[in-house]
Amino acid sequence: MTEEPQQHWDRVYSDKAPSEVSWFQSEPRPSLTALARFDVPHTTPFVDIGGGASNLVDALLACGWSDVTVVDIAAPALAAAQARLGEAAAGVFWEAADITRWNPPRRYRVWHDRAVFHFLTEPEQRGAYRRALLEGTAPDALVIIATFAPDGPEKCSDLPVQRHDAASLAAALGSEFTLLDDWREEHLTPWGAAQKFIWCVFRRDSD
Ligand SMILES: C[S@@+](CC[C@H](N)C(=O)[O-])C[C@H]1O[C@@H](n2cnc3c(N)ncnc32)[C@H](O)[C@@H]1O
């Protein structure tokens, strides 16, 4: 029987330690590099879409970011991040939700997604993501999205992915978003395999 996405991700995070998954980074350097290219006040509402058990939230808190939300379909991933953060977890907003069904409670000024959008292989799923993005971002918001590049892996976590370049990501997000910058990055998995990523930063122009 085919697993639903939530069952898949719950199982992944229940079976493996955060450092045993291909997307693990000891430091979220590419995300911090992306943020450093733009002058964003650290009081700005920030949402990490599909943040999982990533230590980006730890790094943001350490840099003084004061309004951070982490959304992920897998509650066990959020629990792992909360356990690692200890008392500091109380200063973060946590949402266990599927991004394609999520109703954002507010409008964020930074939307960050590392390695989530590429799991949306159907146009309907990407359309549902766009709906959440439109509901969940304010005009002038920065949208930082990293996906597997056209020469990146065809699968992740045993799931098929849709690889992207800047043009296909821009088309998927729609005319309300202007591409500000894009660059390539090579991620090394914990076992040393190279994965090609594309990073894109958009600005939301209008309602
Ligand atoms: C490859 S991992 C990346 C995790 C994290 N962004 C990072 O860089 O370490 C993909 C993450 O997306 C989450 N995810 C997958 N599909 C999702 C969806 N439809 N809605 C929300 N989260 C999802 C998974 O649970 C997982 O944590």
Side-chain angles (χ1 to χ4, degrees):
M1 207 165 69
T2 319
E3 261 183 334
E4 290 295 320
Q6 189 196 333
Q7 290 173 310
H8 171 87
W9 291 107
D10 281 359
R11 182 174 53 74
V12 166
Y13 283 106
S14 301
D15 289 356
K16 293 186 179 179
S19 58
E20 292 174 337
V21 294
S22 61
W23 53 93
F24 174 73
Q25 309 172 102
S26 54
E27 268 185 280
R29 196 176 293 279
S31 303
L32 297 178
T33 302
L35 278 172
R37 292 185 180 210
F38 302 89
D39 192 17
V40 191
H42 291 183
T43 48
T44 296
F46 183 109
V47 64
D48 191 13
I49 303 299
S54 160
N55 51 24
L56 176 60
V57 57
D58 312 42
L60 291 173
L61 295 179
C63 295
W65 286 79
S66 56
D67 186 349
V68 180
T69 298
V70 184
V71 179
D72 201 279
I73 198 169
L78 301 181
Q82 288 162 352
R84 186 184 64 234
L85 281 167
E87 284 180 10
V92 176
F93 300 101
W94 306 92
E95 296 243 15
D98 179 338
I99 185 60
T100 63
R101 298 180 185 174
W102 187 47
N103 296 310
R106 46 202 284 236
R107 302 178 98 188
Y108 301 91
R109 304 300 295 255
V110 182
W111 177 286
H112 173 274
D113 165 347
R114 172 178 179 262
V116 185
F117 190 79
H118 58 210
F119 290 108
L120 308 180
T121 53
E122 300 299 327
E124 298 74 28
Q125 295 173 310
R126 294 192 289 275
Y129 183 104
R130 176 176 137 75
R131 175 202 54 77
L133 178 66
L134 284 170
E135 280 178 29
T137 48
D140 269 349
L142 276 189
V143 178
I144 303 170
I145 301 187
T147 71
F148 284 161
D151 54 349
E154 292 176 5
K155 284 192 156 195
C156 179
S157 187
D158 290 329
L159 298 175
V161 299
Q162 173 77 51
R163 298 174 292 181
H164 286 280
D165 58 18
S168 68
L169 266 182
L173 297 200
S175 59
E176 296 86 350
F177 300 90
T178 296
L179 181 65
L180 299 180
D181 204 353
D182 66 276
W183 61 94
R184 290 169 59 88
E185 181 238 336
E186 195 168 89
H187 167 65
L188 282 186
T189 67
W191 45 95
Q195 298 185 326
K196 306 268 180 29
F197 273 78
I198 173 120
W199 285 77
C200 291
V201 181
F202 298 87
R203 184 188 58 231
R204 176 159 185 181
D205 290 322
S206 57
D207 265 332

